[in-house]
Amino acid sequence: MACRGACCCSSAGRLNADNARFLLLAVLIVLYMLCGAAVFSAIELPTEREAKERWEERLENFTRRHNLSRAELRHFLREYEEASVAGIRVDDIRPRWDFTGAFYFVGTVVSTIGFGMTTPATIGGKIFLIFYGLIGCAGTILFFNLFLERLITVIAYVMKSCHERQLRRKGVLPHNGRRGSGSSEVDSLAGWKPSVYYVMLILCVASLIISCCASAMYTPIEGWSYFDSLYFCFVAFSTIGFGDLVSSQNIRYESQGLYRFGNFVFILMGVCCIYSLFNVISIVIKQSINWILKKFACKCCHRCQRRLFRSRRNVVMPGNVRSRRNISIETDAVNESDTDGRRLSGEMISMKDFLASNKVSLAIMQKQLSETANGYPRQMSSNSKQNGFSGGVGALAIMNNRLAETSVDR
């Protein structure tokens, strides 16, 4: 091997690009969580301490005024906490487990919002929730993925039509269907795909419009401030679902049927748009991770090339070997290696190189047999491996090759 274990590229070469991307993303998420914890702790901890001090003072004053022991009062408050889990509140609220309340509950379950204001209290209800949520959440995620697929298709069609109209206005494309001097532009337009940044901007604007319209509805009806309504929209649409603010919980509303229908429509549209936006943002994050890995690989390769040059500057290489060959298991491509160079120059190869060569050949044979048994070979273009979007699961697989940044022909 070129750098004999001291080379950083030799260790990086053993690490798959997908695994490197996964590890880097895991590290970045942990750092992001640590930074977020520090910020929230600095912002919210003083308020929590002040609230605790006020509560202890009120509790002390109440026990003195009414001649109650703290143990009795705390026991009563614990009983109220148990009642609140079952849906009992001080103010009058709608029944939690009538049909409309139960429908609202299952909506929060299958959409994975989970506000927490309604939870099953019986063992039978908890057992049924496990199996019901297993199928319901899976079906809803499938619905979100299909919605994302159609949304990306519609956005791509509209943006392609606008791009084509702009080219015709500039005279680059002919107005009729004949192929003239602009045939190259027509060919390039056939494979045109929208940029992920434009799609992200469109989804941001759509999510903002839905949130603003929903907040304008929640503010007068629920009695929240407009900022609290926007906060609720993000928490609900992103399926975080803290449960500190929950819509449609009062026992009576003006135009109650219309409001509940509007609440359902806004939550459905908001969840779909925010889900699509999150997946498009994940493409941008993946691009950034690929850029970081590429920069790191370039620095590593330059450092290793300098070490290789210093270690071999006095070695006479065989003249008939111009290029090196290495066998890649992923692409089945053959590149020349040091072993081939020594073999062609008449130099004996070591037993270690011989066993390594046989090991690689065996791995390639196993891969080919596996692909033959599956009925199709795994084909992966070099461009798709370079941009890091050669595959994906779920929403990433849906957006693969639909946007300009994930296209294999870039």
Side-chain angles (χ1 to χ4, degrees):
M1 189 177 291
C3 295
R4 293 291 182 185
C7 176
C8 56
C9 282
S10 61
S11 59
R14 300 189 192 101
L15 189 63
N16 194 341
D18 291 334
N19 294 332
R21 190 181 301 114
F22 172 77
L23 292 177
L24 180 58
L25 180 60
V27 171
L28 291 177
I29 288 176
V30 171
L31 293 177
Y32 189 77
M33 292 173 65
L34 292 175
C35 294
V39 171
F40 280 113
S41 179
I43 295 175
E44 299 293 338
L45 184 59
T47 304
E48 180 188 10
R49 289 174 176 172
E50 292 176 2
K52 187 175 182 180
E53 291 175 359
R54 288 196 303 267
W55 169 250
E56 291 293 335
E57 184 179 354
R58 291 177 181 176
L59 193 62
E60 184 68 25
N61 294 333
F62 187 84
T63 54
R64 286 179 182 176
R65 188 181 306 117
H66 296 280
N67 261 336
L68 294 175
S69 66
R70 276 216 163 179
E72 293 176 350
L73 185 57
R74 289 184 181 276
H75 179 71
F76 176 76
L77 292 176
R78 287 194 187 96
E79 290 181 350
Y80 174 72
E81 288 178 354
E82 294 176 359
S84 65
V85 172
I88 307 301
R89 296 293 187 274
V90 176
D91 299 326
D92 290 335
I93 58 174
R94 59 182 288 184
R96 296 296 177 91
W97 293 111
D98 61 348
F99 183 79
T100 56
F103 184 80
Y104 193 89
F105 167 74
V106 297
T108 62
V109 170
V110 299
S111 63
T112 69
I113 295 177
F115 285 123
M117 79 292 179
T118 303
T119 55
T122 61
I123 296 178
K126 293 176 181 178
I127 294 176
F128 179 72
L129 174 64
I130 294 174
F131 295 99
Y132 183 84
L134 185 66
I135 300 175
C137 293
T140 306
I141 290 174
L142 176 61
F143 171 80
F144 288 157
N145 286 333
L146 295 178
F147 176 85
L148 173 62
E149 182 179 8
R150 281 149 182 79
L151 182 63
I152 295 296
T153 302
V154 170
I155 292 177
Y157 176 79
V158 173
M159 292 184 65
K160 184 176 181 180
S161 301
C162 295
H163 181 68
E164 184 177 357
R165 189 179 298 111
Q166 185 179 5
L167 291 179
R168 285 179 176 170
R169 189 180 301 118
K170 292 180 179 179
V172 178
L173 288 178
H175 290 277
N176 50 15
R178 294 178 297 177
R179 298 172 63 92
S181 59
S183 59
S184 60
E185 285 79 5
V186 174
D187 294 336
S188 63
L189 185 62
W192 185 87
K193 295 180 179 65
S195 173
V196 67
Y197 301 103
Y198 290 112
V199 175
M200 183 174 65
L201 179 62
I202 292 173
L203 289 175
C204 281
V205 173
S207 302
L208 186 61
I209 291 175
I210 293 174
S211 299
C212 290
C213 294
S215 299
M217 180 186 71
Y218 292 135
T219 299
I221 296 179
E222 295 289 348
W224 302 334
S225 66
Y226 192 78
F227 179 78
D228 285 342
S229 299
L230 285 175
Y231 163 78
F232 165 76
C233 288
F234 176 77
V235 171
F237 297 167
S238 60
T239 70
I240 297 175
F242 290 125
D244 51 348
L245 294 176
V246 182
S247 61
S248 187
Q249 294 302 301
N250 294 335
I251 194 170
R252 189 67 58 186
Y253 290 100
E254 294 182 4
S255 303
Q256 182 167 314
L258 183 62
Y259 169 65
R260 288 182 176 176
F261 176 76
N263 180 49
F264 173 78
V265 171
F266 274 124
I267 289 181
L268 178 63
M269 294 174 58
V271 169
C272 290
C273 286
I274 294 293
Y275 176 84
S276 303
L277 178 62
F278 283 170
N279 284 283
V280 173
I281 292 176
S282 68
I283 295 294
V284 179
I285 295 175
K286 194 172 183 181
Q287 276 189 312
S288 304
I289 293 175
N290 291 337
W291 180 81
I292 294 174
L293 291 176
K294 185 177 179 181
K295 290 296 182 182
F296 179 77
C298 290
K299 292 181 180 179
C300 180
C301 289
H302 288 317
R303 192 180 303 115
C304 293
Q305 286 176 1
R306 287 196 298 269
R307 291 182 182 178
L308 180 63
F309 177 75
R310 285 197 300 267
S311 63
R312 295 193 173 187
R313 58 185 176 183
N314 295 325
V315 179
V316 179
M317 299 297 294
N320 59 346
V321 181
R322 297 288 180 181
S323 61
R324 308 183 179 272
R325 294 187 12 157
N326 265 332
I327 299 178
S328 173
I329 299 178
E330 277 296 322
T331 59
D332 295 343
V334 180
N335 302 315
E336 293 189 358
S337 65
D338 294 335
T339 303
D340 294 333
R342 289 196 297 269
R343 187 167 63 249
L344 291 176
S345 62
E347 181 182 351
M348 292 185 64
I349 64 173
S350 65
M351 183 60 68
K352 178 181 179 181
D353 293 334
F354 177 74
L355 294 176
S357 177
N358 287 339
K359 183 178 180 180
V360 173
S361 300
L362 181 60
I364 294 176
M365 185 183 301
Q366 290 175 346
K367 176 175 178 290
Q368 291 174 347
L369 289 174
S370 175
E371 291 174 348
T372 305
N374 291 332
Y376 58 90
R378 179 187 175 187
Q379 307 217 342
M380 187 184 298
S381 65
S382 60
N383 290 334
S384 65
K385 292 182 67 177
Q386 288 176 1
N387 61 23
F389 292 96
S390 57
V393 178
L396 288 178
I398 290 174
M399 289 185 292
N400 186 31
N401 206 27
R402 289 179 178 270
L403 302 175
E405 286 74 12
T406 62
S407 178
V408 298
D409 54 357
R410 290 182 67 222

